[in-house]
Amino acid sequence: MADIFRSRKLIYVLGAFNGFLLATALIVYAVFTSTNSTTAIGLILIPFYGAIAALIGCAVVYVGFVAVDVLAGELAWGSPRVYTASAFVAIAVLFGAAVLLHRAAMAVAENPLTSPDELMAVSQRWVPLWGEEVFVALAKNPVTPAALLTAMADQKESHGLVSLVGANTGTPVAVLEKIAAGPLHYERVAGLAENLKITPAIAARLANVVPKDFRDDLEYKLYQTFVLAALARNPSTPQPVFDQLAARDKPEYFLAVAILYADRANCTQIRRVVESGNDVLRNTAKRQLKHRGC
C-alpha cells in the first residue's frame, strides 16, 4: 500500500510539473511569435499561470485515479471523491464550451470576407469568456457595418475600442468626425490620427491643442507621442497642419522623430530639431540634414 501511495504521489508531482511546463512553453511561444512590443511582459506572469496549470495537472491526475478506482471496484459511485472528480470534469466541459464559443465568434469577427449581417449577428452573441476580444476584432474589421462601428464609437468607458474604430479604414468619415468631435484623450484618438481617410478638419482638430487642454504635463506628452506623432506620419495630414506640428516648441521625442523622417519636412524644420537638448535627436537631425543636402 505504501508503494502505491508513493507511486501516486510521484504521478501527482509529474502531473503538476507537466502542467507548469506546458503553460511556460505556451507563454514563451506567444511572446516570441507576437508582433506586439508589449507582449514580453507576459514572461513575468509565468509563475502565476504556471501555478494554475500545475493545479490543473493535479486535477487531471486526480480524475484519472478516481476513474481507475471506480472501474477496479475500489471506490463507490456515490463517494465524495467521485463527486469531486465529477465537479472537475463539469468545470472542464463548461470551460471548453466557452473556449469554443469564443473561437467561433472570433473566426467570424476577424474575417474580412464575413458578410455585414453575420458581423452584426456575432456582435449580439453571448460569449461568456473574453467577449471584449470579439468587439476588438469587429472594431478592426474593415467590413464591419457602419451602424455597429457608430455604436462602438459612442463607447465612453472604452477609449481603446474607440481608437480602433478610428483607425479602421472602413469607418465612414461621418463616424471619424464624430470621434474627433469628442474628448481628445490620447487613448481615444490615437487610431484616428493614423487613419488615411481623415479630413483636413479632423487633422486640424487633433493638432490644435495646447498644454492647458490636458490634466497634466504627462498626459500632454503622451498625446504628442501617440496622436501628434501619428498625425505627422500620416500622408493625409494637410501640409499646413504638418507645418504647425513641426513648429511646436520642445516636441516630444517620437513627434520629433516623425518630423525628421517625414518626406515633406523641409531643411528649416529639420534644423529646428538640431537645437534640441536631446543628443540622439540632435545627431539624427544632423544626419538627415546631410542626407538631404541641406
Side-chain angles (χ1 to χ4, degrees):
M1 182 64 70
D3 290 340
I4 294 176
F5 177 77
R6 281 195 296 269
S7 64
R8 288 197 170 191
K9 186 176 180 180
L10 176 61
I11 294 174
Y12 274 115
V13 172
L14 290 174
F17 177 75
N18 286 332
F20 186 91
L21 196 62
L22 179 60
T24 301
L26 290 175
I27 292 173
V28 171
Y29 175 80
V31 167
F32 286 97
T33 57
S34 174
T35 57
N36 191 328
S37 60
T38 62
T39 309
I41 198 173
L43 293 175
I44 68 175
L45 299 176
I46 286 177
F48 175 74
Y49 288 111
I52 293 175
L55 292 175
I56 293 173
C58 288
V60 171
V61 174
Y62 182 88
V63 171
F65 282 147
V66 168
V68 169
D69 291 342
V70 168
L71 293 175
E74 298 178 2
L75 194 63
W77 281 101
S79 69
R81 286 181 61 198
V82 172
Y83 288 135
T84 302
S86 299
F88 286 155
V89 172
I91 292 171
V93 169
L94 291 173
F95 180 78
V99 170
L100 290 176
L101 286 172
H102 171 261
R103 294 187 65 177
M106 287 294 290
V108 175
E110 292 177 325
N111 191 346
L113 300 179
T114 305
S115 70
D117 289 342
E118 288 179 299
L119 291 173
M120 186 65 75
V122 80
S123 71
Q124 299 169 356
R125 285 188 195 177
W126 179 64
V127 182
L129 294 178
W130 313 298
E132 66 279 1
E133 291 185 6
V134 176
F135 285 96
V136 167
L138 288 169
K140 293 179 179 180
N141 196 325
V143 297
T144 295
L148 185 53
L149 290 171
T150 302
M152 289 190 285
D154 287 334
Q155 292 291 322
K156 293 182 173 57
E157 302 299 325
S158 180
H159 290 326
L161 192 64
V162 176
S163 181
L164 291 173
V165 173
N168 192 328
T169 56
T171 301
V173 173
V175 178
L176 299 180
E177 291 173 338
K178 188 173 185 179
I179 295 173
L184 295 182
H185 298 301
Y186 73 92
E187 314 103 305
R188 184 176 179 276
V189 296
L192 179 63
E194 65 186 42
N195 196 313
L196 296 178
K197 290 171 59 178
I198 60 170
T199 64
I202 292 175
R205 159 74 172 155
L206 296 178
N208 290 330
V209 294
V210 293
K212 67 179 182 180
D213 293 328
F214 302 90
R215 291 174 297 181
D216 51 45
D217 187 53
L218 176 60
E219 187 173 301
Y220 178 53
K221 290 179 178 179
L222 290 170
Y223 188 87
Q224 291 186 67
T225 298
F226 292 103
V227 181
L228 298 187
L231 205 59
R233 291 190 297 267
N234 192 336
S236 297
T237 298
Q239 186 65 42
V241 175
F242 178 86
D243 293 340
Q244 179 184 345
L245 296 173
R248 282 184 171 270
D249 291 329
K250 297 180 180 179
E252 280 304 297
Y253 179 83
F254 287 102
L255 173 56
V257 169
I259 293 167
L260 286 177
Y261 285 102
D263 292 336
R264 60 170 117 182
N266 59 45
C267 295
T268 301
Q269 292 167 339
I270 295 174
R271 196 171 287 112
R272 286 188 75 246
V273 182
V274 176
E275 302 168 2
S276 167
N278 186 303
D279 290 338
V280 175
L281 285 177
R282 187 185 300 114
N283 292 332
T284 303
K286 288 179 179 178
R287 286 196 298 269
Q288 285 296 100
L289 287 172
K290 183 178 180 181
H291 174 71
R292 300 189 187 205
C294 295

